[in-house]
Amino acid sequence: MVKVRADKIDEVTKAVEDGTLRTSGSNDILTIALETPEYSGCVRGVGTGISHKMYFKTPRCKTQSSQQQMMQTHLEQQSLHIEELNKKFNLIASLLTPDQLSKMQELVQSNVVQSNHISEKASCTAKKEKKMKHLLRK
């Protein structure tokens, strides 16, 4: 019986080292090998009244930091997207005459002001694109 458990511990340890198995927190190598899950509320071998958080000193607001990290990643992605849009706008602006550029800016500003009242349906979008093309041809 002991040899079987020792072999299982070696097998699980090798799987973790190879990267085919992940362990975290109370789901460690020994818990997996012995097939005895840890229960919340107490830590084996340290007495009563000692919780996992107290013994292992894990941070209390782990989810808040992961949310902040997700928000930071989203903010960085949005910043990169804005930079790309600015580059595209500058390229288009360099190809337009000053008169066409001013008409385009007026059109964009009027669309921003009216954006709360414009439907997001495809037909409205097509009409806006036709209007923009018509103004650029002038």
Side-chain angles (χ1 to χ4, degrees), residues 36-48:
T36 54
E38 294 290 335
Y39 299 103
S40 63
C42 64
V43 180
R44 292 183 190 174
V46 294
T48 59

Side-chain angles (χ1 to χ4, degrees), residues 39-100:
Y39 299 103
S40 63
C42 64
V43 180
R44 292 183 190 174
V46 294
T48 59
I50 306 294
S51 69
H52 290 277
K53 287 183 181 182
M54 291 168 56
Y55 188 76
F56 294 109
K57 297 181 178 143
T58 55
R60 290 180 182 226
C61 41
K62 198 173 192 177
T63 57
Q64 184 178 10
S65 64
S66 64
Q67 287 176 347
Q68 288 174 345
Q69 187 176 10
M70 285 176 34
M71 293 292 285
Q72 182 66 30
T73 303
H74 182 68
L75 182 63
E76 289 170 0
Q77 289 174 346
Q78 291 297 320
S79 296
L80 290 174
H81 183 66
I82 289 171
E83 285 179 27
E84 288 178 30
L85 290 175
N86 281 333
K87 287 178 185 177
K88 289 178 182 179
F89 175 78
N90 290 334
L91 177 64
I92 291 171
S94 68
L95 300 174
L96 299 175
T97 64
D99 187 43
Q100 290 174 326

Side-chain angles (χ1 to χ4, degrees), residues 34-35 55 72 80 104 117 124 138:
L34 297 178
E35 298 174 358
Y55 188 76
Q72 182 66 30
L80 290 174
M104 178 84 123
H117 306 291
C124 293
K138 290 183 179 181

Side-chain angles (χ1 to χ4, degrees), residues 120-134:
E120 293 297 320
K121 294 180 182 176
S123 61
C124 293
T125 306
K127 289 177 186 177
K128 284 191 284 185
E129 288 176 3
K130 285 181 183 178
K131 184 177 179 181
M132 188 181 297
K133 286 179 183 178
H134 176 69

